[in-house]
Amino acid sequence: PAYRRANDFAEQLGCEINSHNQIVTDDLGRTSMVNIYVAGEYKDLKSTSLVIAAAEGSKVAKTINMDMINQTF
C-alpha cells in the first residue's frame, strides 16, 4: 500500500523531502533543519512494527540528548 504523512508539518518547518516524499535524515534522525528530528513511520512512510518504532525513537532520543550536551558545553 501507499503510505503518506497525515499532515505537511515537516514541509512547513522546512525539512528537506526526497523524491519518494520521505523526510531526509542522517542515520541518527536529524533532519535538514537544526533541532528537528524524526523517527519511525513518519520518516520512512512504510509500515513498521511497534518494536522497531520504539527502537528508532530511542536512538533519536539519545541523539537529541547528545546534541543538547554538545550545544551546552
Side-chain angles (χ1 to χ4, degrees):
Y3 293 91
R4 65 177 185 83
R5 286 185 299 284
N7 59 57
D8 62 352
F9 190 59
E11 290 89 336
Q12 291 176 21
L13 292 173
C15 295
E16 182 181 350
I17 308 296
N18 68 19
S19 61
H20 300 289
N21 205 29
Q22 297 170 322
I23 301 169
V24 176
T25 65
D26 65 9
D27 291 336
L28 299 175
R30 294 181 190 100
T31 67
S32 58
M33 300 301 293
V34 176
N35 297 328
I36 299 177
Y37 305 78
V38 297
E41 293 175 1
Y42 196 78
K43 177 182 73 116
D44 293 328
L45 295 180
K46 64 181 179 183
S47 180
T48 187
S49 73
L50 179 60
V51 174
I52 293 171
E56 287 183 10
S58 177
K59 179 174 68 174
V60 171
K62 290 175 188 175
T63 301
I64 292 168
N65 187 51
M66 289 308 301
D67 286 352
M68 290 175 65
I69 289 170
N70 290 333
Q71 287 177 2
T72 302
F73 297 105

